[in-house]
Amino acid sequence: MKKVIFAIAALALVAWGCSSSDDDTPSKPESLLEGTDARPTWQVPNFDDYEQIMTVVVVLEDTLQSYASVADLLCATIEGEVRGVATPQQVGEQWRFVITVASNESGKDISLSYYCDKLHHIFTTYWGKFDANTKPTGEGTFYQPTFVTQE
């Protein structure tokens, strides 16, 4: 009888030791799970309708680089109106977008929306203020915005 109890206890210990928990394995943020968003039909605005433009190279954040593809899109909006649309370019191992954004006045808030075709998901974030004097390239979150927050 002692051998049977010992065997059951040993099996329970082995099973408990081999089980996985949420703490053992890093999980993907929920936003990186496949979604159901259809590819948007964002249209490039007529830049002749605006007084000012700015062109910026936006590098896709590291978290999304492995999900990027040529079917993705980036859209800039001001007050809910599309003010710029770009398709991705792959430079080496890095995906980036050269986006031109239009406005009639400086200081307007810009939001960016990134459509990831592989995930069928649209990510949106506040980007910054419109400024026609913005350098096309640079460092920091303006040039590499965060779409995915680690949960």
Side-chain angles (χ1 to χ4, degrees), residues 4-148:
V4 172
I5 293 174
F6 179 73
I8 292 172
L11 285 173
L13 184 60
V14 169
W16 177 70
C18 292
S19 70
S20 64
S21 71
D22 292 338
D23 297 334
D24 294 343
T25 308
S27 61
K28 283 185 183 180
E30 191 171 313
S31 58
L32 288 180
L33 300 176
E34 189 165 336
T36 58
D37 294 330
R39 189 172 201 276
T41 57
W42 298 318
Q43 298 295 311
V44 176
N46 181 352
F47 294 116
D48 292 335
D49 292 342
Y50 299 94
E51 296 173 8
Q52 304 173 42
I53 62 166
M54 68 180 208
T55 301
V56 178
V57 176
V58 174
V59 176
L60 196 57
E61 70 183 279
D62 295 341
T63 305
L64 292 169
Q65 284 286 335
S66 63
Y67 298 99
S69 73
V70 295
D72 295 355
L73 289 173
L74 186 70
C75 175
T77 59
I78 296 177
E79 296 177 343
E81 184 180 316
V82 174
R83 298 294 183 89
V85 177
T87 55
Q89 303 171 346
Q90 188 172 19
V91 179
E93 296 296 314
Q94 194 173 59
W95 289 92
R96 67 184 194 166
F97 297 83
V98 178
I99 189 164
T100 299
V101 183
S103 182
N104 285 324
E105 57 182 291
S106 290
K108 290 289 195 176
D109 288 337
I110 306 171
S111 292
L112 282 183
S113 294
Y114 164 64
Y115 172 70
C116 180
D117 187 65
K118 285 184 182 177
L119 294 174
H120 304 290
H121 190 87
I122 297 172
F123 300 88
T124 301
T125 190
Y126 169 76
W127 190 28
K129 304 275 186 194
F130 180 88
D131 181 355
N133 297 314
T134 300
K135 297 184 307 183
T137 60
E139 300 292 322
T141 56
F142 191 78
Y143 298 95
Q144 189 172 22
T146 302
F147 289 101
V148 178

